[in-house]
Structure formats: structure tokens, C-alpha cells
Amino acid sequence: MSTIAASPVTAEERVAAARERMLRAKEASRQVALLGDDAKAALLTAIADAIDAASADIVEANADDLSRGAVEGLSTGLLDRLRLDDARVHALAEAVRAVAALPDPVGRVLDERTLDNGLRLQKVAVPFGVVGSIYEARPNVTVDIAALALRSGNAVVLRGGTAAASSNAALVAIMRGALAAAGVDPEAVQTVDDFGRDGAAALMQARGIVDVLVPRGSAQLIETVVTTSQVPVIETGAGVVHIVLDASAPTDWAREIVVNAKAQRPSVCNAVETVLVHRDAAAHLVPELGAALAAAGVTVHADERVRTLLPDAVPATEADWATEHMSLDLSMRVVDDLDDALAHIRTYSTHHTESIITTDDANAERFLAEVDSAVVMVNASTRFTDGGEFGFGAEVGISTQKLHARGPMGLPELTSTKWLARGAGQIRR
Amino acid sequence: MSTIAASPVTAEERVAAARERMLRAKEASRQVALLGDDAKAALLTAIADAIDAASADIVEANADDLSRGAVEGLSTGLLDRLRLDDARVHALAEAVRAVAALPDPVGRVLDERTLDNGLRLQKVAVPFGVVGSIYEARPNVTVDIAALALRSGNAVVLRGGTAAASSNAALVAIMRGALAAAGVDPEAVQTVDDFGRDGAAALMQARGIVDVLVPRGSAQLIETVVTTSQVPVIETGAGVVHIVLDASAPTDWAREIVVNAKAQRPSVCNAVETVLVHRDAAAHLVPELGAALAAAGVTVHADERVRTLLPDAVPATEADWATEHMSLDLSMRVVDDLDDALAHIRTYSTHHTESIITTDDANAERFLAEVDSAVVMVNASTRFTDGGEFGFGAEVGISTQKLHARGPMGLPELTSTKWLARGAGQIRR
């Protein structure tokens, strides 16, 4: 008799099969939650070693994805993000080793109090249980999220982009093998990639099984997850990021920070998208910025007042103000004053990062107090909004929501809390 | 010409009108967020004074609700929860004064670091912005939630039970009057009660306007909100709460704690619903407990093994194990060992509070580590899971979710965070 189960055929069967796998992750999460610091670090080191050892197999699986992607007409950019070679596989393993070296976020005592009746209370950091992630076709995310989840004592359910299915399957198999070799239930790392859209649907319906869902990818993917999921979501976000050049902005800071924030790495969420220039500084700042940005290859999309100073700029459309370009394009507008700048930011910001360049302390403090974004800066490049730059050692993502975590998230943001109460027969009077 | 706008007629019109009101709350939230500690405390004191001064009007509005409720056949219990008299109105005002006296949760510095390049980072507590709440026909919640939201620098949008509509309208009008008199935009306190179900629907769709939604009421109401809302929700929960009596449980502690946890106030979420007795202790504990519970008026729903020792107990059904009785009913089962007890809790717990009575330290620590609930206790009554008992001064609710807040929530749980970065021209290399 065959021991191979029939493949699920209908959408309902695929959702049910995905759910079954997630329940096994939940069961396994109990064991992972109780692993000590050393055991978790050793487990991640074993995973890193296994990835290095299987480099040839991973590259071979990735070649399947690449040739399928080429046939399906994926863009050069997408194919590049998908591609793994030995060097990139080794970089994956090294990233896992870096996570292994981070301090254990579990068990931290976050609050402590003893009631008058002697009952001792402690609020401690505990793993969530099962962390889910839905992301696009980047195999490095598969390993990244699994490593971060395991390091913080969680099981993980992964749903990556279909274009990376073979790479992801190979990486998941290697991680599960390393878990089993370490005596940890391999069901703690699951993929629902093979159930396609139904796998994602099952993940978003898995309230009570999956404790938190972290979408990573395009604004559209995140919007779909945020509005569909019944599992609590941590929204990692798109960045329509602003820099305000106040009347007092020093020219050198304005030029260096804007060019850095746009051109150092334009495809990331902390890159600036819109520069708002105070009208009293426009006459000297706009031409200076225009020249520096042109030299850096940046196309400026400008309002009418900027265009009088920068005639070669592209006229900005209404859509430009709300666009995360992800490219060497920058929107620029002249504002009447700080109120005007703050109103523009309220209308168009995605609440990721905004910065003001000013030597006026009152304006700086007003900007810090009134801008409602995850990170609000004075006289610094928005590119600093990053878990690595903040000293977190690794980054789960950058939260643009207000619940649970806001801004760059490190390992502690993958934990919840639990109150422990130790008594000696206390009852309530 | 009349200045009264036409009432919205269709569901779409009502949703749009509710949305308009919520946008006004969001606009007003900017002012409330910037109020200092003293201004917020003074505002709440003014609200309390206004409630006391308008006691007769509030009681009159409440009489409308009561007579409508009587006609509609509300139960005596519901009518009692709905009823306001002068004493209860004064208690509402006193509760607002207690919140006024709490420390300001806004502005706390939660993390601080300076990067090697000199960029100074601070993670500070900030208001959410707009807090929404959907709750049942208890007018005290209207005042409670508004006071907690304002004290933590938030605007608030309220949707109470229709049965309390007149009382809520009176209370909201009084609070808005006190805001206006204090120079604060009255739009910071809104109700969408008058839009009925469409008001609740609009609130749950208000992602980007309302920052967090706190449902309070029955398990069914909370389930509806949690599964429907696109606004992030803090789930405050039903409690199927367990006490485990280990083999070593001292008889006096077992008896006193179980009776206290069930009978002191059976209608609340931290009351115990199921007692699991170790088989080695059943012969002496079950008869002792049975007598004490009978004396307290408690009906025991028992499994077969308990019934051999307590023949008068009602046979427990499968449904009993998953039921929050909210009454003087208690489910009781004999378990083979701690593993059996933990497995039962995993199956039936709502992850609110569980307690073990034991003198075995290893079992106590295993229970604390392995039970996945907001509060896990050793040798104490589950009735201690309460913001007041924990020393928070006021309680927003008891969260049974893992994101953002878990267990009793005080004012700090109504804040988010923001990173402030102060630099001097730093750019990323």
C-alpha cells in the first residue's frame, strides 16, 4: 500500500491541509518556547552550517526558479532578487550566525511588583508562539524570518512568493533537517508555499493557531494582508518619507542630507521621496540642491514655485506627492511655513520617517512633537531608520503601525509578555 | 432656512456621516495629544464636575432608556446594569477623578541610545491618536473609556449599546461641553451610537482614522469585532479560567482559593470556571471542596471520577469545559497528573488566567513556564487578575491577545511610541 497521501485538490482541501500543518507548528512551538539561550543559539549555528554544507543543492533548486522565471518573463530586477549563488548562500548562513549571536529576548523581566498581601508579580517576555510571514519572491527572507523567529523562541509558518518556490522548499527542508538533528521538532518550521493562494488564505484565517503575521513586500501585498487577515498583523511599511528644509537650514546639511537620503540607496523604504523647502530659503537652496541632485542622477518632480528656480524639473502631479518612487526620482515643493509643511506631511506621509533640517530649536522641537511618524528626525538623513543602524543587530522589519511595535523592530518585538504571580494562599477580600 | 442637516437615510449615508465625525475626532486628536499633564488632569476634573452638576439630566435621560428597555422586555439583570441614579452618577464622576489623579503615561522615555556618529535616539511614549470602543449597554463604560482615552492624550469614538442610547447621548454632550469650556476641541469625544449598526461598521472600517479599537462586552461581541475590524483591535477577553489542585495542594489553600475564585464575584472574567484535581488528592480534596462550594451556593458540574466522590454533582457535558458560566456554576474534573492538567488547559483555556495550588516547586515552575495565558499563578486566587489589584489605578480591560498588551491594561497600554532622532548633519555612509 502507498503511504503517500492524495494531494489536496479543491481550495477547501488545500486550506485544510495548510491548517493541519500550522497546527503541527503550534504543537512544536511549545518545545521551542522552552529552549534556553544556548540551545537556541546552537540551533541557529547548526542551521547556518547546514545551509553552507548544502550550498550546491540550494543553488540547483534556485536555478529551477530562475529558469521558470525567465520563461514567465520576470523582470531583470526581480530575477536578480531571486538569484542565489554560492556567495549569496554563504551570506544567508552568515546572517543566521549574526542572529545566533544576539541576546535572547525571552525571559527579560519587564515589570515587578509585590502586592500588600505578599503576592509577587513579574511581567516577563515570552515567545509569541507561532509567527507567520507572507512575503515576495526573495529566498533570503525565508531564512531571515525563520532565524529571527526561532531565536526568539517561536515556531514559524512561511508563505513566500511562488516564483521562489523551489528555493524556499530547499531552504525549508535544510532548516527542518537541522532542527531534527538538534532534537527539536522539525514541524517548528513550516511552509505553505505549495498550497499557493490557498496557503496564504489559510494563514490569514489561522486566528488562534498563528499568533502574529508579518507581511513583507510591496505596499499592495501589505495592504491585502492588513485588510484581510484575522490573525493580528504587524504592518511593515511603505515609506513616503519627507525632508523639510526650514528657513534656517544650513545649505551644506540640506544638500548632503537630501542627496544621501535619496541617492545612497533609492529602492528602500527609508529613502526620501519628497522635499519641502521653506519659501524664505528656496532662492538659495533649490538651485544648490538641483545641481547636487542632477549630479547624483536624480530626476526632480517639482511644483510651480520650485520650477521657477529649477526650470528643467519635471512638473509634479498630484500622484507624485503620494508616491514611493523606489527610484532616483524626488518630489519637491515650496511651502509657506512650518504649518504648511506639517499639513503636507499629514496629508501624504505613510508615517514611516520624516526629518527637518533647521537650526531653529523651537521649530525642531515642534516638528518632533507634532509629526506623527514612527521616526521623527532633526538634522539627519532618513536612511538611519534601520534596525542595524539603531543597533538592534537584526531587523524584523520597520513597523508603521502604532500597536505593539513602531519603527525598526528587533528580536524583542517578536516576543509577547506574561504575568507570573507567586503566592502563598492569597484570596481576594 | 433650516440649519439642520437632513438625517442620513441609507446605510451608505450613515457610514459616511459616521466617518465624517471620526475625521473630526482625528483632527481634534492633534490638540489633545499636545496637552500637558496638568491640562489633561484639569480637563478630567472639569468633566467630573460637569457630570455631578448634570446628575438630574443624566438620570432623566437614563429613565428614557429604562422605560424603553422595560417595553422591549430587557431582563432584570440588564436593566440593573443600565440603571443610573444620583449615587451611580456620582460614582461615575468619582471614577473620572481617580483617572485624573493617575500619572501621565505620555512622554515617558522608554529607550535611549547615541550612535557612534553622535545621532541621539529616544523612544518616547506618545498617544495613539484616536481610540475607538464598541461596547454593550453600560453607560459607565461611556465615561470610563472617554476618561482613560483623554488622560492618555487620545481622542475617542464611542459606540455603546442601543439600549443605553439616551444615557450615552447625555453623557457625551456633558463631556463635550466640559471640553469646550476648557478650550479643547469638543470633537475629541464622539459617539456614533445614533448611526446604529452602521456606526459600528464605520468604526471597524476606519483604518487610518481610528488607531486602535477596544471592544468590551460579551464573547460574541468581541469575536465579531476581532474578525470584522480592519482597525487594529485589542481583544479583551472572555475567561474560561482554570485552577489546578496538585497532589501536594494544601487542603485549606485549595478550599479557600477555589471558593474565593468562584463565589466572591461569579459574573466577572477572572472568576474560575474549571477545577482540575490530581487523582492522588481527589479522595480528600473533592469532598472537602464539595461541602465548601455547596455552602457557598455553587453547583458543581463533574466528570465521572469526581461524581464517585460527589454523587450529587451534575454530570458535566463536553460543552461545560468550554463554558464561561458567569454564574455560581463550576466544572470539576479529576486529572491523572500535571501533563493531563496542562493538556486540558491547552484545549479549553481562553488564555486569561490559570492558577495551580501546590507545594511542589518543580511543578509550580513548570506550570508558570508552560501555561500560555496572560496571567499564570501559583497558590493565589484568579480574582487577582485585575488592573486595580495590580496597582494600575484604573483598568482599560484585560487583554487576552499577545500583541501590544497582555493581561490587565492600564493607561500606559493606551499609548504607542515614537523614535526621536536629534542630529547635526549626519548622513549614512
Side-chain angles (χ1 to χ4, degrees):
Chain A
M1 287 176 57
S2 168
T3 55
I4 299 169
S7 288
V9 174
T10 68
E12 289 70 23
E13 284 169 353
R14 284 192 295 270
V15 167
R19 193 173 174 86
E20 183 55 43
R21 234 178 251 180
M22 292 188 280
L23 283 167
R24 294 207 296 272
K26 187 177 173 66
E27 179 70 19
S29 74
R30 294 166 44 212
Q31 184 193 4
V32 178
L34 297 174
L35 294 176
D37 185 11
D38 292 348
K40 286 181 283 196
L43 179 60
L44 262 65
T45 304
I47 287 175
D49 292 346
I51 289 172
D52 270 334
S55 189
D57 296 341
I58 297 168
V59 172
E60 193 181 315
N62 182 251
D64 288 348
D65 289 330
L66 289 173
S67 56
R68 194 157 31 86
V71 169
E72 289 170 5
L74 287 194
S75 72
T76 319
L78 287 178
L79 285 172
D80 181 61
R81 283 160 60 167
L82 182 54
R83 177 171 293 111
L84 292 175
D85 53 24
D86 282 331
R88 287 189 176 183
V89 170
H90 183 59
L92 283 184
E94 287 293 299
V96 175
R97 291 188 181 99
V99 174
L102 291 175
D104 190 346
V106 170
R108 289 168 299 137
V109 177
L110 303 168
D111 195 352
E112 212 158 4
R113 42 185 81 204
T114 301
L115 306 189
D116 290 344
N117 63 18
L119 188 63
R120 288 178 298 132
L121 300 174
Q122 279 188 320
K123 184 182 183 180
V124 298
V126 297
F128 271 117
V130 180
V131 173
S133 189
I134 298 183
Y135 51 98
E136 288 169 347
R138 302 183 71 158
N140 60 314
V141 177
T142 303
V143 175
D144 249 20
I145 293 275
L148 292 162
L150 291 169
R151 189 66 182 93
S152 48
N154 294 291
V156 66
V157 178
L158 301 159
R159 164 68 175 113
T162 308
S166 300
S167 313
N168 290 343
L171 290 165
V172 166
I174 289 160
M175 292 192 284
R176 287 169 61 101
L179 263 68
V184 177
D185 186 347
E187 305 288 356
V189 175
Q190 298 285 356
T191 172
V192 291
D193 275 7
D194 45 327
F195 302 120
R197 283 167 187 276
D198 299 314
L203 194 41
M204 292 191 279
Q205 290 164 17
R207 191 170 183 94
I209 304 173
V210 174
D211 294 286
V212 62
L213 192 51
V214 184
R216 275 177 58 165
S218 69
Q220 195 195 331
L221 177 141
I222 291 165
E223 178 68 15
T224 300
V225 172
V226 152
T227 54
T228 310
S229 178
Q230 296 186 4
V231 173
V233 172
I234 297 181
E235 185 176 354
T236 62
V240 177
V241 165
H242 297 77
I243 294 179
V244 175
L245 306 180
D246 198 14
S248 66
T251 303
D252 286 356
W253 289 2
R255 185 188 62 242
E256 287 168 15
I257 288 173
V258 168
V259 171
N260 181 258
K262 177 77 259 181
Q264 199 225 10
R265 199 169 168 208
S267 65
V268 290
C269 61
N270 58 18
V272 68
E273 303 299 346
T274 299
V275 171
L276 302 170
V277 188
H278 193 289
R279 63 177 174 191
D280 295 346
H284 65 276
L285 287 182
V286 167
E288 176 91 19
L289 276 173
L293 288 165
V298 176
T299 302
V300 175
H301 302 241
D303 78 338
E304 280 311 309
R305 288 200 278 184
V306 168
R307 290 188 73 230
T308 61
L309 299 158
L310 215 60
D312 292 345
V314 176
T317 63
E318 172 63 24
D320 277 323
W321 310 118
T323 297
E324 186 179 18
H325 296 291
M326 313 290 285
S327 62
L328 285 172
D329 290 84
L330 179 72
S331 309
M332 194 181 298
R333 210 195 120 195
V334 169
V335 291
D336 290 335
D337 52 22
L338 187 52
D339 283 313
D340 194 9
L342 291 170
H344 181 103
I345 289 170
R346 272 200 302 282
T347 306
Y348 297 106
S349 169
T350 55
H351 311 291
H352 185 295
T353 301
E354 332 294 337
S355 185
I356 189 170
I357 316 303
T358 186
T359 54
D360 180 325
D361 285 347
N363 283 352
E365 291 306 316
R366 198 180 153 208
F367 192 80
L368 290 170
E370 296 192 21
V371 173
D372 181 27
S373 295
V375 185
V376 189
M377 298 179 169
V378 175
N379 296 328
S381 169
T382 56
R383 292 273 296 117
F384 286 111
T385 297
D386 176 275
E389 294 290 323
F390 274 34
F392 297 168
E395 183 178 279
V396 178
I398 295 174
S399 166
T400 52
Q401 72 179 32
K402 294 183 182 175
L403 212 63
H404 184 72
R406 199 175 189 205
M409 293 186 288
L411 278 186
E413 279 68 38
L414 284 185
T415 62
S416 180
T417 59
K418 174 158 96 172
W419 283 96
L420 306 179
R422 293 179 170 91
Q426 282 88 349
I427 60 171
R428 188 157 163 190
R429 304 289 173 184
Chain B
M1 286 176 60
S2 168
T3 57
I4 298 169
S7 287
V9 173
T10 68
E12 289 71 22
E13 284 169 353
R14 285 191 295 271
V15 167
R19 194 173 173 86
E20 185 53 45
R21 233 178 253 179
M22 292 188 280
L23 283 168
R24 293 207 296 272
K26 186 177 174 65
E27 180 68 20
S29 74
R30 293 167 44 213
Q31 186 193 3
V32 179
L34 297 174
L35 295 176
D37 185 11
D38 291 348
K40 286 180 283 194
L43 179 60
L44 262 64
T45 304
I47 287 175
D49 292 347
I51 289 171
D52 270 335
S55 189
D57 296 341
I58 297 167
V59 172
E60 195 181 315
N62 182 251
D64 288 349
D65 289 331
L66 289 173
S67 56
R68 194 158 29 86
V71 169
E72 289 170 5
L74 288 193
S75 72
T76 319
L78 288 177
L79 285 171
D80 180 60
R81 283 162 59 169
L82 182 53
R83 177 171 292 113
L84 292 175
D85 53 25
D86 282 331
R88 286 188 177 182
V89 170
H90 183 59
L92 283 184
E94 287 293 300
V96 175
R97 292 189 181 97
V99 174
L102 291 175
D104 191 347
V106 171
R108 290 168 298 136
V109 177
L110 303 168
D111 195 352
E112 213 158 2
R113 45 185 78 204
T114 300
L115 306 190
D116 290 343
N117 62 18
L119 188 63
R120 287 177 300 131
L121 300 174
Q122 278 189 320
K123 184 182 183 181
V124 297
V126 297
F128 271 116
V130 181
V131 173
S133 189
I134 298 182
Y135 52 97
E136 289 170 345
R138 303 183 72 159
N140 60 314
V141 177
T142 303
V143 175
D144 249 21
I145 293 276
L148 293 162
L150 291 169
R151 190 67 183 93
S152 47
N154 294 290
V156 66
V157 178
L158 302 159
R159 165 66 175 111
T162 308
S166 300
S167 313
N168 289 344
L171 290 166
V172 166
I174 290 161
M175 292 192 284
R176 286 169 61 102
L179 263 69
V184 178
D185 187 348
E187 305 288 355
V189 175
Q190 298 285 357
T191 172
V192 291
D193 275 8
D194 44 328
F195 303 120
R197 282 167 188 277
D198 300 313
L203 195 42
M204 291 190 281
Q205 290 164 18
R207 190 170 185 96
I209 305 173
V210 174
D211 294 287
V212 61
L213 192 50
V214 184
R216 275 177 55 165
S218 69
Q220 196 194 330
L221 177 142
I222 291 166
E223 178 69 14
T224 300
V225 172
V226 153
T227 54
T228 309
S229 178
Q230 295 186 4
V231 174
V233 172
I234 298 180
E235 184 176 354
T236 63
V240 176
V241 165
H242 297 78
I243 294 179
V244 175
L245 305 180
D246 197 16
S248 66
T251 303
D252 286 357
W253 288 3
R255 186 187 62 242
E256 287 168 16
I257 288 174
V258 168
V259 171
N260 182 258
K262 178 77 258 182
Q264 199 226 10
R265 199 169 166 207
S267 65
V268 290
C269 61
N270 58 19
V272 67
E273 303 300 345
T274 299
V275 171
L276 303 170
V277 189
H278 193 289
R279 65 177 174 193
D280 295 346
H284 66 276
L285 287 182
V286 169
E288 177 90 20
L289 277 174
L293 289 165
V298 175
T299 302
V300 175
H301 301 239
D303 79 337
E304 279 312 307
R305 288 200 279 183
V306 168
R307 290 188 74 230
T308 61
L309 298 159
L310 215 60
D312 291 345
V314 177
T317 63
E318 171 62 24
D320 277 324
W321 309 119
T323 297
E324 186 178 18
H325 296 292
M326 312 289 285
S327 61
L328 286 171
D329 290 83
L330 180 72
S331 309
M332 194 182 297
R333 211 196 118 192
V334 169
V335 292
D336 291 335
D337 52 23
L338 187 52
D339 284 313
D340 193 8
L342 291 170
H344 182 102
I345 289 171
R346 273 200 304 280
T347 306
Y348 297 106
S349 169
T350 55
H351 312 290
H352 185 295
T353 301
E354 333 293 338
S355 185
I356 188 170
I357 316 303
T358 186
T359 55
D360 180 324
D361 285 346
N363 283 353
E365 292 306 317
R366 197 178 154 208
F367 192 80
L368 290 170
E370 296 191 23
V371 172
D372 181 26
S373 295
V375 186
V376 189
M377 298 180 168
V378 175
N379 297 327
S381 170
T382 57
R383 291 276 293 117
F384 286 110
T385 298
D386 177 274
E389 294 291 321
F390 274 34
F392 296 168
E395 184 178 278
V396 178
I398 297 174
S399 165
T400 52
Q401 73 180 31
K402 294 182 182 175
L403 211 63
H404 185 72
R406 198 175 190 205
M409 293 186 288
L411 279 185
E413 280 69 37
L414 285 185
T415 62
S416 179
T417 59
K418 173 159 96 173
W419 284 95
L420 306 179
R422 292 179 171 92
Q426 282 87 350
I427 59 172
R428 188 158 163 188
R429 305 290 173 185

